[in-house]
Amino acid sequence: MTCGRRLGYLLESLEDNTRGIEVRAASMERDSRGWGNTHLSRGMTLLAMRRPRPRAGRSLPAVESLERAVGATHRFTLTARLMRMVALAQVGRTDQALAEAAALAAMPEAQHPSLFYDAHAGTVYRLAGRPVQAFEAQQRALHRIPDDPVRRWNLMRVLVERGLTELELGLVAESQGSLDEALALSATEQRRETPMRADAWLGLGRALSPPSSGSTRRRSRSSGPTPFGAASTPRTPPGSTPRSGWPGWIAGWAIDARQRLRLARVAHLRSVTASRPGFPSR
């Protein structure tokens, strides 16, 4: 189910999650590792589908079950708490999400690279309207991604979030770069259209849209220092390959073609997100 969720088979994963719970419900103790893990897995799928409302309501029993079964500092329990934290932020309960982020930040066990605390905290900060904190957390997350078989997938999801945060900061060129990289990774790491990919395309659509009358965009990081000192932070994390540009007159033509493709893609995904049950309308 985890593999299917990463590849983008979200509806199928949700069906498997639900069927597993129904089949095993009678034989599982509520305060058991199995009960907690099955509900956590289903909640993670709902969260990936951007359907956090049922996730936010069901995550607390999973957390409590895992705390009693395996302990408060076990990685399963901490994963459940991180998922609950993001779900709370997605449904607008940002005060609770920020409180949970602070509590987990104080736990050394929650800082293990495999738990991706900074990546999840960055999402919470962005949704809570704290883009500077979000960007700082996402930069830490990029440089702490484990070198394992799912490194590219984890790099993709952090780059999507960083691109959206950069957009909130007015760093339009940097946002386009992050989202371009994320979409390039998505082409190989995902087999289906997903809300994560839709977020990236919609972010590019926002970045490419002309500014509204009377408004101006903040200058990009490359044009001068920023208040939070991000100019000294490497854009490309270790292990990734910088992209090369096209020379001469081809560059202008190619950029225009890519922009047209992006905008067409955004229009397509808007219709997808509005019509499919796993995608919320924007």
Side-chain angles (χ1 to χ4, degrees), residues 43 45 49 51 63 92 111 130 156 161 170 239 241 279:
T45 302
M49 295 172 74
R51 291 169 55 183
V63 171
Q111 307 310 310
R130 301 185 179 185
M156 171 189 67
E161 281 293 317
T241 304
F279 294 73

PDB file of all heavy atoms in Angstrom, residues 43 45 49 51 63 92 111 130 156 161 170 239 241 279:
ATOM      1  N   GLY A  43      -5.075   6.672   7.077  1.00  0.00           N
ATOM      2  CA  GLY A  43      -5.032   8.114   7.265  1.00  0.00           C
ATOM      3  C   GLY A  43      -3.993   8.782   6.388  1.00  0.00           C
ATOM      4  O   GLY A  43      -4.222   9.871   5.851  1.00  0.00           O
ATOM      5  N   THR A  45      -3.063   7.764   3.475  1.00  0.00           N
ATOM      6  CA  THR A  45      -3.614   7.786   2.117  1.00  0.00           C
ATOM      7  C   THR A  45      -4.611   8.935   1.958  1.00  0.00           C
ATOM      8  O   THR A  45      -4.581   9.668   0.972  1.00  0.00           O
ATOM      9  CB  THR A  45      -4.294   6.448   1.797  1.00  0.00           C
ATOM     10  OG1 THR A  45      -3.345   5.383   1.945  1.00  0.00           O
ATOM     11  CG2 THR A  45      -4.832   6.444   0.373  1.00  0.00           C
ATOM     12  N   MET A  49      -4.474  12.298  -0.481  1.00  0.00           N
ATOM     13  CA  MET A  49      -5.578  12.651  -1.365  1.00  0.00           C
ATOM     14  C   MET A  49      -6.143  14.033  -1.047  1.00  0.00           C
ATOM     15  O   MET A  49      -7.104  14.468  -1.687  1.00  0.00           O
ATOM     16  CB  MET A  49      -6.690  11.605  -1.235  1.00  0.00           C
ATOM     17  CG  MET A  49      -6.278  10.224  -1.706  1.00  0.00           C
ATOM     18  SD  MET A  49      -7.531   8.952  -1.343  1.00  0.00           S
ATOM     19  CE  MET A  49      -8.767   9.353  -2.566  1.00  0.00           C
ATOM     20  N   ARG A  51      -7.725  14.829   1.620  1.00  0.00           N
ATOM     21  CA  ARG A  51      -9.014  14.652   2.278  1.00  0.00           C
ATOM     22  C   ARG A  51      -8.762  14.500   3.775  1.00  0.00           C
ATOM     23  O   ARG A  51      -8.980  13.451   4.367  1.00  0.00           O
ATOM     24  CB  ARG A  51      -9.732  13.411   1.725  1.00  0.00           C
ATOM     25  CG  ARG A  51     -10.195  13.587   0.292  1.00  0.00           C
ATOM     26  CD  ARG A  51     -10.653  12.292  -0.335  1.00  0.00           C
ATOM     27  NE  ARG A  51     -11.690  11.627   0.439  1.00  0.00           N
ATOM     28  CZ  ARG A  51     -12.203  10.433   0.113  1.00  0.00           C
ATOM     29  NH1 ARG A  51     -11.770   9.805  -0.964  1.00  0.00           N
ATOM     30  NH2 ARG A  51     -13.147   9.881   0.856  1.00  0.00           N
ATOM     31  N   VAL A  63      -3.003   7.421  17.175  1.00  0.00           N
ATOM     32  CA  VAL A  63      -1.880   7.876  17.994  1.00  0.00           C
ATOM     33  C   VAL A  63      -1.958   7.256  19.377  1.00  0.00           C
ATOM     34  O   VAL A  63      -0.969   6.704  19.897  1.00  0.00           O
ATOM     35  CB  VAL A  63      -1.861   9.418  18.092  1.00  0.00           C
ATOM     36  CG1 VAL A  63      -0.827   9.870  19.116  1.00  0.00           C
ATOM     37  CG2 VAL A  63      -1.556  10.046  16.741  1.00  0.00           C
ATOM     38  N   GLY A  92      -7.318  23.781   8.668  1.00  0.00           N
ATOM     39  CA  GLY A  92      -7.383  25.126   9.220  1.00  0.00           C
ATOM     40  C   GLY A  92      -7.192  25.229  10.720  1.00  0.00           C
ATOM     41  O   GLY A  92      -7.281  26.334  11.266  1.00  0.00           O
ATOM     42  N   GLN A 111      13.400  13.828  15.533  1.00  0.00           N
ATOM     43  CA  GLN A 111      14.301  14.471  14.580  1.00  0.00           C
ATOM     44  C   GLN A 111      15.054  13.475  13.723  1.00  0.00           C
ATOM     45  O   GLN A 111      15.919  13.874  12.925  1.00  0.00           O
ATOM     46  CB  GLN A 111      15.302  15.365  15.337  1.00  0.00           C
ATOM     47  CG  GLN A 111      14.662  16.355  16.287  1.00  0.00           C
ATOM     48  CD  GLN A 111      13.552  17.160  15.650  1.00  0.00           C
ATOM     49  OE1 GLN A 111      13.732  17.730  14.578  1.00  0.00           O
ATOM     50  NE2 GLN A 111      12.392  17.202  16.294  1.00  0.00           N
ATOM     51  N   ARG A 130       3.262  31.290   7.768  1.00  0.00           N
ATOM     52  CA  ARG A 130       4.610  31.613   8.236  1.00  0.00           C
ATOM     53  C   ARG A 130       5.631  31.147   7.200  1.00  0.00           C
ATOM     54  O   ARG A 130       6.372  30.183   7.415  1.00  0.00           O
ATOM     55  CB  ARG A 130       4.887  30.949   9.580  1.00  0.00           C
ATOM     56  CG  ARG A 130       3.916  31.358  10.691  1.00  0.00           C
ATOM     57  CD  ARG A 130       4.323  30.757  12.025  1.00  0.00           C
ATOM     58  NE  ARG A 130       3.408  31.152  13.104  1.00  0.00           N
ATOM     59  CZ  ARG A 130       3.610  30.842  14.379  1.00  0.00           C
ATOM     60  NH1 ARG A 130       4.682  30.142  14.734  1.00  0.00           N
ATOM     61  NH2 ARG A 130       2.729  31.224  15.295  1.00  0.00           N
ATOM     62  N   MET A 156      11.258  15.104  -4.343  1.00  0.00           N
ATOM     63  CA  MET A 156      10.135  15.669  -5.094  1.00  0.00           C
ATOM     64  C   MET A 156       9.140  16.347  -4.168  1.00  0.00           C
ATOM     65  O   MET A 156       8.732  17.493  -4.405  1.00  0.00           O
ATOM     66  CB  MET A 156       9.444  14.553  -5.881  1.00  0.00           C
ATOM     67  CG  MET A 156       8.138  14.945  -6.546  1.00  0.00           C
ATOM     68  SD  MET A 156       7.257  13.501  -7.232  1.00  0.00           S
ATOM     69  CE  MET A 156       6.814  12.634  -5.705  1.00  0.00           C
ATOM     70  N   GLU A 161       6.743  21.618  -1.928  1.00  0.00           N
ATOM     71  CA  GLU A 161       6.428  22.502  -0.806  1.00  0.00           C
ATOM     72  C   GLU A 161       7.311  23.746  -0.820  1.00  0.00           C
ATOM     73  O   GLU A 161       6.843  24.855  -0.563  1.00  0.00           O
ATOM     74  CB  GLU A 161       6.589  21.747   0.516  1.00  0.00           C
ATOM     75  CG  GLU A 161       5.425  20.838   0.843  1.00  0.00           C
ATOM     76  CD  GLU A 161       4.156  21.621   1.125  1.00  0.00           C
ATOM     77  OE1 GLU A 161       4.212  22.645   1.842  1.00  0.00           O
ATOM     78  OE2 GLU A 161       3.088  21.218   0.625  1.00  0.00           O
ATOM     79  N   GLY A 170       7.270  35.684  -2.658  1.00  0.00           N
ATOM     80  CA  GLY A 170       7.496  36.547  -3.807  1.00  0.00           C
ATOM     81  C   GLY A 170       8.725  36.182  -4.605  1.00  0.00           C
ATOM     82  O   GLY A 170       9.139  36.937  -5.482  1.00  0.00           O
ATOM     83  N   GLY A 239      23.832  15.661  -4.263  1.00  0.00           N
ATOM     84  CA  GLY A 239      23.339  14.491  -4.973  1.00  0.00           C
ATOM     85  C   GLY A 239      22.438  14.793  -6.147  1.00  0.00           C
ATOM     86  O   GLY A 239      22.117  13.903  -6.923  1.00  0.00           O
ATOM     87  N   THR A 241      21.411  17.020  -9.730  1.00  0.00           N
ATOM     88  CA  THR A 241      22.144  17.516 -10.892  1.00  0.00           C
ATOM     89  C   THR A 241      21.569  18.837 -11.343  1.00  0.00           C
ATOM     90  O   THR A 241      20.376  18.940 -11.587  1.00  0.00           O
ATOM     91  CB  THR A 241      22.041  16.510 -12.052  1.00  0.00           C
ATOM     92  OG1 THR A 241      22.518  15.250 -11.591  1.00  0.00           O
ATOM     93  CG2 THR A 241      22.863  16.975 -13.242  1.00  0.00           C
ATOM     94  N   PHE A 279      -9.654  14.492  -5.452  1.00  0.00           N
ATOM     95  CA  PHE A 279      -9.027  15.783  -5.627  1.00  0.00           C
ATOM     96  C   PHE A 279     -10.007  16.869  -5.226  1.00  0.00           C
ATOM     97  O   PHE A 279     -11.097  16.947  -5.777  1.00  0.00           O
ATOM     98  CB  PHE A 279      -8.632  16.009  -7.096  1.00  0.00           C
ATOM     99  CG  PHE A 279      -7.566  15.098  -7.590  1.00  0.00           C
ATOM    100  CD1 PHE A 279      -7.833  13.763  -7.832  1.00  0.00           C
ATOM    101  CD2 PHE A 279      -6.288  15.582  -7.814  1.00  0.00           C
ATOM    102  CE1 PHE A 279      -6.858  12.936  -8.312  1.00  0.00           C
ATOM    103  CE2 PHE A 279      -5.299  14.739  -8.296  1.00  0.00           C
ATOM    104  CZ  PHE A 279      -5.589  13.406  -8.542  1.00  0.00           C
TER     105      PHE A 279
END
